[in-house]
Amino acid sequence: MTTSMPILCNVPWYSMLVMPGGEVKPSCRCGMLAGNLNTASLMEIWNGPVYTELRDRLLHNDFSLCGDCYSHRQRHKIFDFPEGTSTAFRLNMAKKKRELATGATLLESGPVDIEMTPYYDCNLKCRMCEWHERKGAWTPKVSAEIQQTLQYAAHIYLTGGEPLLHFESVFWKILNTEGAKDNQDLRITIVTNGNLLTESFMAKYLRHLPLKRVNVSTHATTEKTYRKIIPNGNWRKTQNALHILLELQKTKDFEVMANFVIQKENYHELSGFVTHCEEKGILTRLIRGNGKGKIDLLPSTSAELAAEIDRALEVARDPFNIDELRKIKNFYAASGQE
């Protein structure tokens, strides 16, 4: 069939998140578990009941299954990748465009935007994160299933845990398979706390990767606030990581981004964070706090947060940062936290 209305979100036609235990979800904010790569193949899960039902609903712009994902985004999500040059990439993307145009829910094309989370291990203990308390890692079967997609994938998102902790034994090994090396259209995003990102790591790995973006989780503009959020973290190493990336950016085309999870320890620094990032040419990723990092819902806190978001909007100049701030403002307003 031909779709009767514009699709406002095409995530389940493009995206897949693979957790340390092999669990598969359509996206990081989607609570729906689509299957497990330890017990099923990637394409079996990709065309299983969770993905197909989600696609069918989104063909009619029915977001009832999306839960926190839709409320978090406050916007529509449309992936749009170029046609590419690599043979496997072009063939897969051509199939995908036909499938979207005809409203297909069972797909011959595979996922092209893949978030890879092969282990929980982390060198730091952020107060809003519980991952360092968990155990688990990809089995050889899970790794093998993921490797098959790299010949046609457009974007992979390396995260953890801390991806730099076991980078050579896990990520570097995967990225050096024949399929990945033959795919000239593949781009990579890395999310790191920056404490292990050194000059030697940059020279050995980052310089040679087809980077799209490197996100460094800073969550603060001062060392005092940083230490409240990440007691065992090293503020100077985090700032040095950003410096290394900005230097690399002079000779390599990719984006440098700083992450800021909004929480009660740091929300007062939001406008300063945006100002600092814009002065350095760094994009911002603003993440509303959840779990341990959720802001206490006191009237005074909510009013102060609203005022700080408005101050940040006043100083922001980069369209990307302005968009991030507006999404955060809309989220808190819609949830009654502003």
PDB file of all heavy atoms in Angstrom, residues 115-119 138 150 156-177 188-191 205 209:
ATOM      1  N   GLU A 115      22.594   1.654  17.764  1.00  0.00           N
ATOM      2  CA  GLU A 115      23.255   2.023  19.012  1.00  0.00           C
ATOM      3  C   GLU A 115      23.845   0.765  19.633  1.00  0.00           C
ATOM      4  O   GLU A 115      23.123  -0.169  19.978  1.00  0.00           O
ATOM      5  CB  GLU A 115      22.283   2.693  19.977  1.00  0.00           C
ATOM      6  CG  GLU A 115      22.951   3.148  21.267  1.00  0.00           C
ATOM      7  CD  GLU A 115      22.083   4.063  22.109  1.00  0.00           C
ATOM      8  OE1 GLU A 115      21.110   4.643  21.567  1.00  0.00           O
ATOM      9  OE2 GLU A 115      22.381   4.206  23.314  1.00  0.00           O
ATOM     10  N   MET A 116      25.152   0.750  19.763  1.00  0.00           N
ATOM     11  CA  MET A 116      25.872  -0.424  20.249  1.00  0.00           C
ATOM     12  C   MET A 116      26.285  -0.215  21.701  1.00  0.00           C
ATOM     13  O   MET A 116      27.088   0.659  22.005  1.00  0.00           O
ATOM     14  CB  MET A 116      27.095  -0.683  19.367  1.00  0.00           C
ATOM     15  CG  MET A 116      26.739  -0.956  17.911  1.00  0.00           C
ATOM     16  SD  MET A 116      28.145  -0.893  16.766  1.00  0.00           S
ATOM     17  CE  MET A 116      29.267  -2.073  17.496  1.00  0.00           C
ATOM     18  N   THR A 117      25.725  -1.038  22.588  1.00  0.00           N
ATOM     19  CA  THR A 117      26.039  -0.973  24.015  1.00  0.00           C
ATOM     20  C   THR A 117      26.491  -2.354  24.456  1.00  0.00           C
ATOM     21  O   THR A 117      25.714  -3.123  25.024  1.00  0.00           O
ATOM     22  CB  THR A 117      24.802  -0.526  24.824  1.00  0.00           C
ATOM     23  OG1 THR A 117      24.248   0.648  24.231  1.00  0.00           O
ATOM     24  CG2 THR A 117      25.172  -0.226  26.270  1.00  0.00           C
ATOM     25  N   PRO A 118      27.753  -2.725  24.183  1.00  0.00           N
ATOM     26  CA  PRO A 118      28.176  -4.115  24.382  1.00  0.00           C
ATOM     27  C   PRO A 118      28.483  -4.503  25.831  1.00  0.00           C
ATOM     28  O   PRO A 118      28.613  -5.693  26.122  1.00  0.00           O
ATOM     29  CB  PRO A 118      29.440  -4.220  23.523  1.00  0.00           C
ATOM     30  CG  PRO A 118      29.970  -2.839  23.481  1.00  0.00           C
ATOM     31  CD  PRO A 118      28.775  -1.930  23.509  1.00  0.00           C
ATOM     32  N   TYR A 119      28.610  -3.522  26.734  1.00  0.00           N
ATOM     33  CA  TYR A 119      28.887  -3.862  28.132  1.00  0.00           C
ATOM     34  C   TYR A 119      28.487  -2.702  29.040  1.00  0.00           C
ATOM     35  O   TYR A 119      28.334  -1.568  28.595  1.00  0.00           O
ATOM     36  CB  TYR A 119      30.363  -4.192  28.338  1.00  0.00           C
ATOM     37  CG  TYR A 119      31.326  -3.145  27.818  1.00  0.00           C
ATOM     38  CD1 TYR A 119      31.626  -1.999  28.545  1.00  0.00           C
ATOM     39  CD2 TYR A 119      31.961  -3.315  26.584  1.00  0.00           C
ATOM     40  CE1 TYR A 119      32.506  -1.054  28.067  1.00  0.00           C
ATOM     41  CE2 TYR A 119      32.847  -2.367  26.092  1.00  0.00           C
ATOM     42  CZ  TYR A 119      33.115  -1.240  26.832  1.00  0.00           C
ATOM     43  OH  TYR A 119      33.980  -0.288  26.345  1.00  0.00           O
ATOM     44  N   TRP A 138      28.096  -8.473  25.653  1.00  0.00           N
ATOM     45  CA  TRP A 138      27.710  -9.224  24.470  1.00  0.00           C
ATOM     46  C   TRP A 138      28.393 -10.590  24.413  1.00  0.00           C
ATOM     47  O   TRP A 138      29.580 -10.708  24.736  1.00  0.00           O
ATOM     48  CB  TRP A 138      28.105  -8.469  23.214  1.00  0.00           C
ATOM     49  CG  TRP A 138      27.222  -7.313  22.869  1.00  0.00           C
ATOM     50  CD1 TRP A 138      26.110  -6.890  23.541  1.00  0.00           C
ATOM     51  CD2 TRP A 138      27.392  -6.432  21.752  1.00  0.00           C
ATOM     52  NE1 TRP A 138      25.571  -5.797  22.921  1.00  0.00           N
ATOM     53  CE2 TRP A 138      26.332  -5.485  21.815  1.00  0.00           C
ATOM     54  CE3 TRP A 138      28.321  -6.333  20.732  1.00  0.00           C
ATOM     55  CZ2 TRP A 138      26.196  -4.466  20.873  1.00  0.00           C
ATOM     56  CZ3 TRP A 138      28.188  -5.329  19.794  1.00  0.00           C
ATOM     57  CH2 TRP A 138      27.132  -4.405  19.861  1.00  0.00           C
ATOM     58  N   LEU A 150      27.116  -4.034   9.489  1.00  0.00           N
ATOM     59  CA  LEU A 150      28.047  -2.929   9.268  1.00  0.00           C
ATOM     60  C   LEU A 150      28.387  -2.712   7.798  1.00  0.00           C
ATOM     61  O   LEU A 150      28.887  -1.658   7.426  1.00  0.00           O
ATOM     62  CB  LEU A 150      29.320  -3.152  10.086  1.00  0.00           C
ATOM     63  CG  LEU A 150      29.115  -3.213  11.605  1.00  0.00           C
ATOM     64  CD1 LEU A 150      30.443  -3.257  12.320  1.00  0.00           C
ATOM     65  CD2 LEU A 150      28.286  -2.031  12.098  1.00  0.00           C
ATOM     66  N   ILE A 156      26.592   4.258  13.390  1.00  0.00           N
ATOM     67  CA  ILE A 156      26.608   3.479  14.616  1.00  0.00           C
ATOM     68  C   ILE A 156      27.007   4.392  15.764  1.00  0.00           C
ATOM     69  O   ILE A 156      27.830   5.291  15.619  1.00  0.00           O
ATOM     70  CB  ILE A 156      27.525   2.244  14.540  1.00  0.00           C
ATOM     71  CG1 ILE A 156      28.956   2.633  14.183  1.00  0.00           C
ATOM     72  CG2 ILE A 156      26.989   1.228  13.553  1.00  0.00           C
ATOM     73  CD1 ILE A 156      29.907   1.458  14.220  1.00  0.00           C
ATOM     74  N   TYR A 157      26.387   4.129  16.892  1.00  0.00           N
ATOM     75  CA  TYR A 157      26.475   4.982  18.068  1.00  0.00           C
ATOM     76  C   TYR A 157      27.108   4.146  19.160  1.00  0.00           C
ATOM     77  O   TYR A 157      26.499   3.212  19.674  1.00  0.00           O
ATOM     78  CB  TYR A 157      25.037   5.393  18.416  1.00  0.00           C
ATOM     79  CG  TYR A 157      24.844   6.477  19.434  1.00  0.00           C
ATOM     80  CD1 TYR A 157      24.753   7.802  19.050  1.00  0.00           C
ATOM     81  CD2 TYR A 157      24.681   6.167  20.777  1.00  0.00           C
ATOM     82  CE1 TYR A 157      24.504   8.803  19.975  1.00  0.00           C
ATOM     83  CE2 TYR A 157      24.441   7.162  21.720  1.00  0.00           C
ATOM     84  CZ  TYR A 157      24.347   8.480  21.310  1.00  0.00           C
ATOM     85  OH  TYR A 157      24.109   9.468  22.238  1.00  0.00           O
ATOM     86  N   LEU A 158      28.358   4.438  19.487  1.00  0.00           N
ATOM     87  CA  LEU A 158      29.111   3.623  20.438  1.00  0.00           C
ATOM     88  C   LEU A 158      28.964   4.205  21.832  1.00  0.00           C
ATOM     89  O   LEU A 158      29.351   5.337  22.101  1.00  0.00           O
ATOM     90  CB  LEU A 158      30.590   3.582  20.060  1.00  0.00           C
ATOM     91  CG  LEU A 158      30.938   3.221  18.608  1.00  0.00           C
ATOM     92  CD1 LEU A 158      32.452   3.142  18.429  1.00  0.00           C
ATOM     93  CD2 LEU A 158      30.279   1.929  18.182  1.00  0.00           C
ATOM     94  N   THR A 159      28.426   3.390  22.736  1.00  0.00           N
ATOM     95  CA  THR A 159      28.202   3.883  24.094  1.00  0.00           C
ATOM     96  C   THR A 159      28.418   2.749  25.078  1.00  0.00           C
ATOM     97  O   THR A 159      28.915   1.685  24.737  1.00  0.00           O
ATOM     98  CB  THR A 159      26.796   4.505  24.201  1.00  0.00           C
ATOM     99  OG1 THR A 159      26.625   5.049  25.506  1.00  0.00           O
ATOM    100  CG2 THR A 159      25.713   3.503  23.907  1.00  0.00           C
ATOM    101  N   GLY A 160      28.050   2.962  26.310  1.00  0.00           N
ATOM    102  CA  GLY A 160      28.260   1.954  27.333  1.00  0.00           C
ATOM    103  C   GLY A 160      27.349   2.243  28.514  1.00  0.00           C
ATOM    104  O   GLY A 160      26.275   2.802  28.327  1.00  0.00           O
ATOM    105  N   GLY A 161      27.874   1.941  29.686  1.00  0.00           N
ATOM    106  CA  GLY A 161      29.246   1.911  30.148  1.00  0.00           C
ATOM    107  C   GLY A 161      30.104   3.006  29.521  1.00  0.00           C
ATOM    108  O   GLY A 161      29.630   3.959  28.970  1.00  0.00           O
ATOM    109  N   GLU A 162      31.385   2.810  29.612  1.00  0.00           N
ATOM    110  CA  GLU A 162      32.346   3.721  28.999  1.00  0.00           C
ATOM    111  C   GLU A 162      32.992   3.018  27.810  1.00  0.00           C
ATOM    112  O   GLU A 162      33.761   2.072  27.983  1.00  0.00           O
ATOM    113  CB  GLU A 162      33.407   4.136  30.021  1.00  0.00           C
ATOM    114  CG  GLU A 162      34.594   4.877  29.443  1.00  0.00           C
ATOM    115  CD  GLU A 162      34.170   6.075  28.599  1.00  0.00           C
ATOM    116  OE1 GLU A 162      33.312   6.872  29.048  1.00  0.00           O
ATOM    117  OE2 GLU A 162      34.707   6.209  27.480  1.00  0.00           O
ATOM    118  N   PRO A 163      32.693   3.450  26.573  1.00  0.00           N
ATOM    119  CA  PRO A 163      33.187   2.743  25.395  1.00  0.00           C
ATOM    120  C   PRO A 163      34.701   2.723  25.262  1.00  0.00           C
ATOM    121  O   PRO A 163      35.263   1.802  24.656  1.00  0.00           O
ATOM    122  CB  PRO A 163      32.527   3.497  24.232  1.00  0.00           C
ATOM    123  CG  PRO A 163      32.145   4.818  24.786  1.00  0.00           C
ATOM    124  CD  PRO A 163      31.822   4.579  26.226  1.00  0.00           C
ATOM    125  N   LEU A 164      35.380   3.726  25.826  1.00  0.00           N
ATOM    126  CA  LEU A 164      36.832   3.759  25.703  1.00  0.00           C
ATOM    127  C   LEU A 164      37.517   2.758  26.627  1.00  0.00           C
ATOM    128  O   LEU A 164      38.700   2.461  26.467  1.00  0.00           O
ATOM    129  CB  LEU A 164      37.360   5.163  25.995  1.00  0.00           C
ATOM    130  CG  LEU A 164      37.398   6.134  24.804  1.00  0.00           C
ATOM    131  CD1 LEU A 164      36.027   6.276  24.168  1.00  0.00           C
ATOM    132  CD2 LEU A 164      37.940   7.490  25.234  1.00  0.00           C
ATOM    133  N   LEU A 165      36.772   2.215  27.603  1.00  0.00           N
ATOM    134  CA  LEU A 165      37.347   1.307  28.592  1.00  0.00           C
ATOM    135  C   LEU A 165      37.851   0.020  27.949  1.00  0.00           C
ATOM    136  O   LEU A 165      38.930  -0.482  28.294  1.00  0.00           O
ATOM    137  CB  LEU A 165      36.300   1.003  29.669  1.00  0.00           C
ATOM    138  CG  LEU A 165      36.791   0.335  30.955  1.00  0.00           C
ATOM    139  CD1 LEU A 165      37.829   1.187  31.662  1.00  0.00           C
ATOM    140  CD2 LEU A 165      35.606   0.080  31.889  1.00  0.00           C
ATOM    141  N   HIS A 166      37.065  -0.548  27.033  1.00  0.00           N
ATOM    142  CA  HIS A 166      37.467  -1.771  26.322  1.00  0.00           C
ATOM    143  C   HIS A 166      37.437  -1.524  24.817  1.00  0.00           C
ATOM    144  O   HIS A 166      37.024  -2.392  24.045  1.00  0.00           O
ATOM    145  CB  HIS A 166      36.509  -2.921  26.670  1.00  0.00           C
ATOM    146  CG  HIS A 166      36.368  -3.183  28.133  1.00  0.00           C
ATOM    147  ND1 HIS A 166      37.451  -3.426  28.953  1.00  0.00           N
ATOM    148  CD2 HIS A 166      35.266  -3.238  28.930  1.00  0.00           C
ATOM    149  CE1 HIS A 166      37.019  -3.630  30.194  1.00  0.00           C
ATOM    150  NE2 HIS A 166      35.707  -3.512  30.206  1.00  0.00           N
ATOM    151  N   PHE A 167      37.889  -0.366  24.406  1.00  0.00           N
ATOM    152  CA  PHE A 167      37.714   0.036  23.016  1.00  0.00           C
ATOM    153  C   PHE A 167      38.425  -0.902  22.046  1.00  0.00           C
ATOM    154  O   PHE A 167      37.840  -1.354  21.056  1.00  0.00           O
ATOM    155  CB  PHE A 167      38.226   1.462  22.806  1.00  0.00           C
ATOM    156  CG  PHE A 167      37.820   2.059  21.490  1.00  0.00           C
ATOM    157  CD1 PHE A 167      36.594   2.688  21.355  1.00  0.00           C
ATOM    158  CD2 PHE A 167      38.648   1.981  20.379  1.00  0.00           C
ATOM    159  CE1 PHE A 167      36.192   3.220  20.139  1.00  0.00           C
ATOM    160  CE2 PHE A 167      38.266   2.506  19.159  1.00  0.00           C
ATOM    161  CZ  PHE A 167      37.030   3.138  19.042  1.00  0.00           C
ATOM    162  N   GLU A 168      39.660  -1.223  22.324  1.00  0.00           N
ATOM    163  CA  GLU A 168      40.425  -2.046  21.374  1.00  0.00           C
ATOM    164  C   GLU A 168      39.882  -3.461  21.286  1.00  0.00           C
ATOM    165  O   GLU A 168      39.737  -4.016  20.190  1.00  0.00           O
ATOM    166  CB  GLU A 168      41.906  -2.079  21.755  1.00  0.00           C
ATOM    167  CG  GLU A 168      42.743  -2.885  20.777  1.00  0.00           C
ATOM    168  CD  GLU A 168      44.218  -2.608  20.909  1.00  0.00           C
ATOM    169  OE1 GLU A 168      44.621  -1.794  21.753  1.00  0.00           O
ATOM    170  OE2 GLU A 168      44.999  -3.211  20.144  1.00  0.00           O
ATOM    171  N   SER A 169      39.561  -4.068  22.421  1.00  0.00           N
ATOM    172  CA  SER A 169      39.132  -5.468  22.422  1.00  0.00           C
ATOM    173  C   SER A 169      37.703  -5.654  21.941  1.00  0.00           C
ATOM    174  O   SER A 169      37.324  -6.756  21.527  1.00  0.00           O
ATOM    175  CB  SER A 169      39.281  -6.057  23.822  1.00  0.00           C
ATOM    176  OG  SER A 169      38.456  -5.374  24.757  1.00  0.00           O
ATOM    177  N   VAL A 170      36.886  -4.590  21.979  1.00  0.00           N
ATOM    178  CA  VAL A 170      35.478  -4.714  21.584  1.00  0.00           C
ATOM    179  C   VAL A 170      35.190  -3.904  20.318  1.00  0.00           C
ATOM    180  O   VAL A 170      34.983  -4.456  19.240  1.00  0.00           O
ATOM    181  CB  VAL A 170      34.536  -4.280  22.723  1.00  0.00           C
ATOM    182  CG1 VAL A 170      33.077  -4.374  22.275  1.00  0.00           C
ATOM    183  CG2 VAL A 170      34.764  -5.144  23.956  1.00  0.00           C
ATOM    184  N   PHE A 171      35.189  -2.587  20.428  1.00  0.00           N
ATOM    185  CA  PHE A 171      34.770  -1.745  19.312  1.00  0.00           C
ATOM    186  C   PHE A 171      35.752  -1.785  18.143  1.00  0.00           C
ATOM    187  O   PHE A 171      35.348  -1.912  16.987  1.00  0.00           O
ATOM    188  CB  PHE A 171      34.578  -0.300  19.780  1.00  0.00           C
ATOM    189  CG  PHE A 171      33.386  -0.112  20.664  1.00  0.00           C
ATOM    190  CD1 PHE A 171      33.549   0.201  22.000  1.00  0.00           C
ATOM    191  CD2 PHE A 171      32.103  -0.254  20.169  1.00  0.00           C
ATOM    192  CE1 PHE A 171      32.451   0.387  22.819  1.00  0.00           C
ATOM    193  CE2 PHE A 171      30.996  -0.070  20.981  1.00  0.00           C
ATOM    194  CZ  PHE A 171      31.168   0.254  22.307  1.00  0.00           C
ATOM    195  N   TRP A 172      37.044  -1.662  18.444  1.00  0.00           N
ATOM    196  CA  TRP A 172      38.040  -1.634  17.371  1.00  0.00           C
ATOM    197  C   TRP A 172      38.023  -2.940  16.581  1.00  0.00           C
ATOM    198  O   TRP A 172      38.175  -2.944  15.354  1.00  0.00           O
ATOM    199  CB  TRP A 172      39.423  -1.381  17.955  1.00  0.00           C
ATOM    200  CG  TRP A 172      40.486  -1.041  16.950  1.00  0.00           C
ATOM    201  CD1 TRP A 172      41.589  -1.777  16.638  1.00  0.00           C
ATOM    202  CD2 TRP A 172      40.558   0.141  16.146  1.00  0.00           C
ATOM    203  NE1 TRP A 172      42.335  -1.142  15.688  1.00  0.00           N
ATOM    204  CE2 TRP A 172      41.728   0.048  15.367  1.00  0.00           C
ATOM    205  CE3 TRP A 172      39.749   1.265  16.000  1.00  0.00           C
ATOM    206  CZ2 TRP A 172      42.110   1.029  14.457  1.00  0.00           C
ATOM    207  CZ3 TRP A 172      40.128   2.255  15.087  1.00  0.00           C
ATOM    208  CH2 TRP A 172      41.290   2.125  14.331  1.00  0.00           C
ATOM    209  N   LYS A 173      37.797  -4.024  17.281  1.00  0.00           N
ATOM    210  CA  LYS A 173      37.715  -5.336  16.636  1.00  0.00           C
ATOM    211  C   LYS A 173      36.521  -5.402  15.689  1.00  0.00           C
ATOM    212  O   LYS A 173      36.633  -5.887  14.555  1.00  0.00           O
ATOM    213  CB  LYS A 173      37.609  -6.432  17.704  1.00  0.00           C
ATOM    214  CG  LYS A 173      37.590  -7.849  17.156  1.00  0.00           C
ATOM    215  CD  LYS A 173      37.530  -8.853  18.303  1.00  0.00           C
ATOM    216  CE  LYS A 173      37.483 -10.287  17.781  1.00  0.00           C
ATOM    217  NZ  LYS A 173      37.423 -11.267  18.907  1.00  0.00           N
ATOM    218  N   ILE A 174      35.375  -4.894  16.149  1.00  0.00           N
ATOM    219  CA  ILE A 174      34.173  -4.895  15.317  1.00  0.00           C
ATOM    220  C   ILE A 174      34.337  -3.979  14.108  1.00  0.00           C
ATOM    221  O   ILE A 174      33.968  -4.323  12.981  1.00  0.00           O
ATOM    222  CB  ILE A 174      32.949  -4.469  16.152  1.00  0.00           C
ATOM    223  CG1 ILE A 174      32.621  -5.530  17.196  1.00  0.00           C
ATOM    224  CG2 ILE A 174      31.733  -4.214  15.259  1.00  0.00           C
ATOM    225  CD1 ILE A 174      31.546  -5.117  18.181  1.00  0.00           C
ATOM    226  N   LEU A 175      34.916  -2.813  14.338  1.00  0.00           N
ATOM    227  CA  LEU A 175      35.042  -1.825  13.273  1.00  0.00           C
ATOM    228  C   LEU A 175      36.070  -2.212  12.227  1.00  0.00           C
ATOM    229  O   LEU A 175      36.128  -1.601  11.146  1.00  0.00           O
ATOM    230  CB  LEU A 175      35.402  -0.463  13.873  1.00  0.00           C
ATOM    231  CG  LEU A 175      34.334   0.160  14.775  1.00  0.00           C
ATOM    232  CD1 LEU A 175      34.855   1.417  15.443  1.00  0.00           C
ATOM    233  CD2 LEU A 175      33.066   0.455  13.989  1.00  0.00           C
ATOM    234  N   ASN A 176      36.882  -3.197  12.515  1.00  0.00           N
ATOM    235  CA  ASN A 176      37.897  -3.634  11.561  1.00  0.00           C
ATOM    236  C   ASN A 176      37.519  -4.918  10.834  1.00  0.00           C
ATOM    237  O   ASN A 176      38.359  -5.552  10.202  1.00  0.00           O
ATOM    238  CB  ASN A 176      39.251  -3.796  12.257  1.00  0.00           C
ATOM    239  CG  ASN A 176      40.002  -2.478  12.338  1.00  0.00           C
ATOM    240  OD1 ASN A 176      40.623  -2.056  11.382  1.00  0.00           O
ATOM    241  ND2 ASN A 176      39.901  -1.822  13.481  1.00  0.00           N
ATOM    242  N   THR A 177      36.250  -5.295  10.888  1.00  0.00           N
ATOM    243  CA  THR A 177      35.772  -6.410  10.071  1.00  0.00           C
ATOM    244  C   THR A 177      35.661  -5.941   8.620  1.00  0.00           C
ATOM    245  O   THR A 177      35.578  -4.737   8.339  1.00  0.00           O
ATOM    246  CB  THR A 177      34.405  -6.903  10.558  1.00  0.00           C
ATOM    247  OG1 THR A 177      33.484  -5.806  10.552  1.00  0.00           O
ATOM    248  CG2 THR A 177      34.509  -7.462  11.976  1.00  0.00           C
ATOM    249  N   ILE A 188      30.386   7.288  12.576  1.00  0.00           N
ATOM    250  CA  ILE A 188      30.425   6.791  13.952  1.00  0.00           C
ATOM    251  C   ILE A 188      30.289   7.936  14.946  1.00  0.00           C
ATOM    252  O   ILE A 188      30.944   8.972  14.811  1.00  0.00           O
ATOM    253  CB  ILE A 188      31.752   6.045  14.208  1.00  0.00           C
ATOM    254  CG1 ILE A 188      31.864   4.831  13.278  1.00  0.00           C
ATOM    255  CG2 ILE A 188      31.871   5.624  15.669  1.00  0.00           C
ATOM    256  CD1 ILE A 188      33.248   4.210  13.260  1.00  0.00           C
ATOM    257  N   THR A 189      29.429   7.729  15.947  1.00  0.00           N
ATOM    258  CA  THR A 189      29.332   8.632  17.092  1.00  0.00           C
ATOM    259  C   THR A 189      29.807   7.886  18.334  1.00  0.00           C
ATOM    260  O   THR A 189      29.450   6.724  18.541  1.00  0.00           O
ATOM    261  CB  THR A 189      27.889   9.114  17.302  1.00  0.00           C
ATOM    262  OG1 THR A 189      27.523   9.969  16.213  1.00  0.00           O
ATOM    263  CG2 THR A 189      27.741   9.889  18.603  1.00  0.00           C
ATOM    264  N   ILE A 190      30.613   8.542  19.145  1.00  0.00           N
ATOM    265  CA  ILE A 190      31.111   7.952  20.388  1.00  0.00           C
ATOM    266  C   ILE A 190      30.661   8.823  21.558  1.00  0.00           C
ATOM    267  O   ILE A 190      30.809  10.043  21.521  1.00  0.00           O
ATOM    268  CB  ILE A 190      32.652   7.856  20.388  1.00  0.00           C
ATOM    269  CG1 ILE A 190      33.134   6.996  19.215  1.00  0.00           C
ATOM    270  CG2 ILE A 190      33.159   7.280  21.718  1.00  0.00           C
ATOM    271  CD1 ILE A 190      34.649   6.961  19.068  1.00  0.00           C
ATOM    272  N   VAL A 191      30.106   8.187  22.581  1.00  0.00           N
ATOM    273  CA  VAL A 191      29.702   8.893  23.801  1.00  0.00           C
ATOM    274  C   VAL A 191      30.635   8.460  24.921  1.00  0.00           C
ATOM    275  O   VAL A 191      30.698   7.280  25.266  1.00  0.00           O
ATOM    276  CB  VAL A 191      28.248   8.588  24.174  1.00  0.00           C
ATOM    277  CG1 VAL A 191      27.847   9.366  25.427  1.00  0.00           C
ATOM    278  CG2 VAL A 191      27.314   8.926  23.026  1.00  0.00           C
ATOM    279  N   TYR A 205      43.395   5.812  17.465  1.00  0.00           N
ATOM    280  CA  TYR A 205      42.066   5.388  17.040  1.00  0.00           C
ATOM    281  C   TYR A 205      41.249   6.494  16.360  1.00  0.00           C
ATOM    282  O   TYR A 205      40.852   6.359  15.206  1.00  0.00           O
ATOM    283  CB  TYR A 205      41.272   4.864  18.241  1.00  0.00           C
ATOM    284  CG  TYR A 205      41.908   3.692  18.940  1.00  0.00           C
ATOM    285  CD1 TYR A 205      42.409   3.811  20.238  1.00  0.00           C
ATOM    286  CD2 TYR A 205      42.031   2.460  18.304  1.00  0.00           C
ATOM    287  CE1 TYR A 205      42.987   2.740  20.887  1.00  0.00           C
ATOM    288  CE2 TYR A 205      42.614   1.378  18.943  1.00  0.00           C
ATOM    289  CZ  TYR A 205      43.088   1.523  20.231  1.00  0.00           C
ATOM    290  OH  TYR A 205      43.675   0.466  20.857  1.00  0.00           O
ATOM    291  N   LEU A 209      39.101   6.961  12.382  1.00  0.00           N
ATOM    292  CA  LEU A 209      37.703   6.555  12.299  1.00  0.00           C
ATOM    293  C   LEU A 209      36.876   7.555  11.496  1.00  0.00           C
ATOM    294  O   LEU A 209      37.148   8.759  11.539  1.00  0.00           O
ATOM    295  CB  LEU A 209      37.101   6.431  13.705  1.00  0.00           C
ATOM    296  CG  LEU A 209      37.601   5.283  14.565  1.00  0.00           C
ATOM    297  CD1 LEU A 209      37.002   5.388  15.970  1.00  0.00           C
ATOM    298  CD2 LEU A 209      37.250   3.937  13.945  1.00  0.00           C
TER     299      LEU A 209
END
